[in-house]
Each structure stands twice: as C-alpha cells, then as structure tokens.
Amino acid sequence: MKFSLKDLNTTEKKTFKLHLAYSILEGIVLGVLALNEFVFIKSLNGSSFQLGILFQFSMLVFVGLIFINELIRRTKNKVRMLRITALLTRLPLALLFFFPRSSADLTGDSIYHLLFLAIFLVYYLASPIIYPTINQFLKNTYRHENFGRLYSNATSINKIVMLVVTFAYGWWLDIDPYAFTYIFPFVAAVAIASVHLLSKIPYQEKDIVIKKDFMQAVKDSMKRMTRLVTQNKAYMHFELGFMIYGFAFMSTVAVITIYYDEALHLNYSSVAFYKNSYNILAIILLPFFGKLIGKIDPRRFAAITFGSMLMYILALTLTEYFAASFDIWKLKIYYMMLAYIFFHGIFAATMVLLWNIGSAYFGKDEDAGDLQSVHLSLTGIRSLFAPLIGIVFYQLFGFTITFGIAIFFLLSAILLMIWSYKRSQI
C-alpha cells in the first residue's frame, strides 16, 4: 500500500511538520559539526588524545542518563525543560567567535584547545535530555505503523540539508581555515531554534504523583530498567550486540579522522566530499530501510548495520595499500574509497534508524522512554574507555591493526545477532 500524508491524522500531520522543521534546522547544525573533529586537528592543531576526548564527550554524557531519566520523568513541564536546555547548552557555541585566527596562537597545549573541549562538553550535555524526550514525544503522537516511515522521511530531509551545509562549510574552510569562528555564532542561534520547534510537538502530559524521594525513585528506575533488560532476552542480546559494535565504532571514529589527515592527506573539501557521498546514498536508501525496520526483527536489521560498517572499515584500511587515485578540482578521489562510500552509505541509513528508534520495537509504547534510556546509558558506559583505547591502539600498532581489531568486534556482534534471532525462532 502506497504511503501518503493524507493517511495521517491531524495530530500526526502537525507533529510531522514540526518534526520536519526541526530536522531541517538540525541538519544545518549537524552539517557544520560533521567536520568538527577535522577542524580540531587541522585548524586548531589539537592532539590525537584531545581529539579522542572530544569524541568521547559526545557519548560520555549518557553515563548519567539513569539519574537524568528520573528527572525527566518528574518534570511536569517538558516543553520548558527542552527550551531551557537548548539555551544553556547551545548559546556557548557563540564563544568560538573570539578564538584566534592564526596557527601561532594554537600550537602546543593552547588554552583554546581546552576551551573548545569545554564548549562542546556543554553542548553534548543536552543529548541525554533531548534524545529520550524526542523518542517520547514522537512515539506518543505517531502511530506504530507510521513511526518508522515518518521518522525516516524527516531524517532524509535532515541529511539533504546536512550534506549541502557540509560541502559549503568544507569549501569555505579550504579558503579560510578559521571560518569556524564566524559560523558558530550562527549555528548557536539555529540550534536553539531547532529545539524550540521540537518542543512545540503536541504532547499530552500525564499527571505525575511523586510518592518517593529522588534517590529511592532512581533506585526504582534502575530496577525497572534492569527488569526490562533481564526479562526481555531479545532486547538483552540486542544491547549486548550494540556494546560490542559500539566498541568498534568508538575506537575508530577519532582514528579515522587522523587517517584522513596523516595517511590520505585530504583537505577539507575532500573530507566533505566523502561524508556527503555516503550521506547522499543514505538519503536514497532511508525510505527503504524505514519500511524494513518495521517489518523484520531489529536483530536482523542490526546484523545488516554492523556488516556494512565492517565492510567500510575494510575498504578504508585497504586504501592505504591500494592508493590509486585521481583529482577533480580540489578533491582527491581514491578508487578504494568508492567502496567505502557505498558501505558507509548503507551504514548511515540503517544506523540512524537502529540507534534512535530500534529499541522502541522491543516493548510497549509506555516503555519506549526507558528502553531508549537503557540504550543511551550503555552508550555512555562504553564511551568511558573505547575512544581513548582506540587512540592507544593507533599509537602502539598503527592504523591497520587498529582497524583490524574493530573488524573482529563487528564480526562478533553480527554473529551474536544472527544467533539470538535464530534462537528465538526455535
């Protein structure tokens, strides 16, 4: 049956319009942030360990999600909560306007490296509040049969905006490596506006009766989340597979950024080209995978996602050994990286769905927030060690062995997903 917006009820139509507007503005923000790590090592001359910490911050904030989840549950006015969170965590991005615009002021252990890390730590602190609330708002208004398709459609538009912005930003950085000092004040305003739109999604707040003190409620929340995992073996296996995959992903993200610079010698435009290329493919594939995630078991979907990452890491590794390339304008195109683009496109299309809404398929609608909170908390836990371990692997063994270790973990996660699914069919 062909899907049409006419099939949506009034609440779904209003929600989708707001969700779409949020996705467009957030696409602008994410388009700039897509080059953030590369900016840090190339324009700001940050160290490899600082780069690992920068990525670590993006996930580390989820460690305290169990406590934050209880605060969110107790918050009666979630709209106000979202708007205050946006203002406090997005506004500091404007401080980048005052950063120096010369390499002489950014060498060694510059105070600006630490300030850059601090600004983005504050930015990422919003994630454990915004992401579970997004899931809760959307699951509350989208019907189950429309959830995956509407989410994937909004995400497709998000990625289109993101790739346009990434390309333009990369081109600008090649002209002026310190263009980030001009662009981030604008990004701060856009990021605040995007969350403001998100907060306008229709949400029926339930009356909350608080009978326990905060710490007792946190303990009960932990017990409730633990029960969701232990009593749902399929979900337990899903999260275990994510932990294994997550180590491979987190241990290679910062190393890949270094690899772009040290092994492939790419400029900003070339990095933007590779990121945009796999995102274009992801946009094409998202509607298909949006339908697929609602039709097959999430563990089978996860095996596809983990397998696509395994293949793009393999293609990336082989590029250093099969380094044939050609130049177009200022872009350096490696032949082996074309395979990287293909498999990374599949990964980008599937992971954005699996990571954001995959957990929601393992329980009832009222459990969606807790299931996603467990999922994000485990993301924070693995971020405590995985990113910096990846940097250590790179410094001790080089790129090839570091990527080889990641491939081993990805293969293990795939086999676990296949075993778990087949076990549940017996």
Side-chain angles (χ1 to χ4, degrees):
M1 183 182 293
K2 189 175 180 180
F3 176 72
S4 171
L5 290 179
K6 294 180 181 179
D7 300 327
L8 304 180
N9 60 39
T10 303
T11 303
E12 284 177 318
K13 286 179 181 178
K14 182 177 180 180
T15 298
F16 183 66
K17 288 177 182 178
L18 290 168
H19 187 194
L20 193 60
Y22 161 78
S23 298
I24 290 170
L25 294 184
E26 198 67 8
I28 296 173
V29 177
L30 295 177
V32 172
L33 293 182
L35 297 177
N36 213 34
E37 285 84 4
F38 203 58
V39 166
F40 185 70
I41 62 170
K42 200 170 183 71
S43 293
L44 275 82
N45 300 318
S47 69
S48 57
F49 264 102
Q50 288 172 336
L51 180 64
I53 292 171
L54 177 60
F55 172 73
Q56 187 178 40
F57 282 166
S58 67
M59 299 296 174
L60 186 64
V61 292
F62 294 120
V63 171
L65 193 57
I66 293 176
F67 296 92
I68 296 171
N69 186 58
E70 181 58 29
L71 284 173
I72 294 173
R73 195 182 72 83
R74 287 171 171 245
T75 301
K76 294 183 179 180
N77 192 338
K78 290 183 173 58
V79 170
R80 184 169 177 269
M81 174 192 71
L82 283 172
R83 292 175 181 176
I84 292 175
T85 299
L87 193 63
L88 293 178
T89 61
R90 273 55 179 152
L91 194 57
L93 294 175
L95 293 175
L96 286 156
F97 178 78
F98 301 102
F99 272 49
R101 297 175 178 89
S102 68
S103 58
D105 296 317
L106 295 167
T107 56
D109 296 323
S110 171
I111 187 64
Y112 292 102
H113 295 158
L114 300 179
L115 183 56
F116 189 91
L117 294 176
I119 288 171
F120 282 96
L121 173 59
V122 171
Y123 173 85
Y124 291 126
L125 284 173
S127 297
I129 297 174
I130 292 175
Y131 287 149
T133 308
I134 289 175
N135 227 37
Q136 195 171 3
F137 276 35
L138 297 181
K139 202 74 171 72
N140 185 257
T141 52
Y142 289 155
R143 285 171 290 176
H144 180 81
E145 62 269 23
N146 295 329
F147 189 34
R149 287 182 291 190
L150 290 173
Y151 194 95
S152 64
N153 288 338
T155 303
S156 294
I157 300 300
N158 172 273
K159 286 191 171 293
I160 291 172
V161 175
M162 177 180 169
L163 70 89
V164 171
V165 172
T166 300
F167 176 80
Y169 185 45
W171 173 79
W172 191 1
L173 284 167
D174 276 329
I175 296 172
D176 178 6
Y178 304 101
F180 66 90
T181 59
Y182 306 111
I183 197 67
F184 268 107
F186 169 74
V187 169
V190 172
I192 292 170
S194 72
V195 179
H196 181 81
L197 286 172
L198 175 70
S199 70
K200 298 176 74 172
I201 289 176
Y203 178 72
Q204 187 62 43
E205 195 70 60
K206 297 178 181 179
D207 291 332
I208 301 171
V209 179
I210 300 175
K211 298 180 179 179
K212 303 173 184 176
D213 63 51
F214 180 76
M215 288 311 299
Q216 183 58 47
V218 168
K219 290 179 183 178
D220 290 345
S221 181
M222 292 175 68
K223 289 178 182 178
R224 186 171 61 252
M225 288 194 234
T226 302
R227 188 166 58 250
L228 284 172
V229 175
T230 56
Q231 293 182 356
N232 189 334
K233 296 298 182 183
Y235 180 63
M236 179 192 294
H237 296 156
F238 177 77
E239 289 301 338
L240 181 57
F242 244 95
M243 285 295 286
I244 298 171
Y245 140 80
F247 176 82
F249 177 77
M250 291 186 181
S251 65
T252 54
V253 168
V255 177
I256 288 172
T257 302
I258 299 169
Y259 185 81
Y260 283 157
D261 188 39
E262 294 187 0
L264 302 186
H265 309 293
L266 300 179
N267 59 11
Y268 282 112
S269 297
S270 297
V271 173
F273 166 78
Y274 288 115
K275 287 180 178 287
N276 280 350
S277 296
Y278 68 67
N279 274 310
I280 290 171
L281 181 58
I283 291 165
I284 296 170
L285 295 175
L286 258 171
F288 167 75
F289 285 116
K291 295 177 184 177
L292 185 64
I293 194 171
K295 293 181 179 179
I296 69 172
D297 189 280
R299 289 165 293 180
R300 294 174 64 194
F301 196 88
I304 296 170
T305 304
F306 302 160
S308 61
M309 182 180 171
L310 185 154
M311 293 303 296
Y312 88 64
I313 290 290
L314 179 61
L316 189 69
T317 306
L318 293 175
T319 302
E320 190 174 11
Y321 299 95
F322 301 96
S325 66
F326 60 95
D327 294 334
I328 298 180
W329 299 305
K330 294 182 179 180
L331 307 180
K332 190 170 188 178
I333 313 299
Y334 288 92
Y335 291 106
M336 187 59 65
M337 289 288 282
L338 299 178
Y340 165 84
I341 290 170
F342 175 75
F343 290 111
H344 206 148
I346 297 174
F347 173 79
T350 55
M351 181 51 72
V352 71
L353 296 168
L354 190 69
W355 195 80
N356 284 294
I357 65 175
S359 63
Y361 288 98
F362 285 96
K364 301 175 182 177
D365 287 355
E366 58 267 28
D367 293 329
D370 282 337
L371 288 169
Q372 187 68 352
S373 292
V374 171
H375 182 68
L376 296 177
S377 295
L378 292 174
T379 298
I381 290 172
R382 60 181 174 263
S383 74
L384 289 170
F385 55 89
L388 295 183
I389 287 178
I391 296 295
V392 171
F393 284 164
Y394 151 69
Q395 292 187 336
L396 291 177
F397 309 120
F399 293 116
T400 301
I401 292 180
T402 301
F403 293 150
I405 293 170
I407 288 172
F408 170 78
F409 276 90
L410 288 166
L411 182 59
S412 301
I414 293 167
L415 293 175
L416 174 59
M417 293 296 95
I418 295 171
W419 170 82
S420 175
Y421 174 73
K422 289 185 175 180
R423 180 176 178 269
S424 66
Q425 302 303 303
I426 298 175

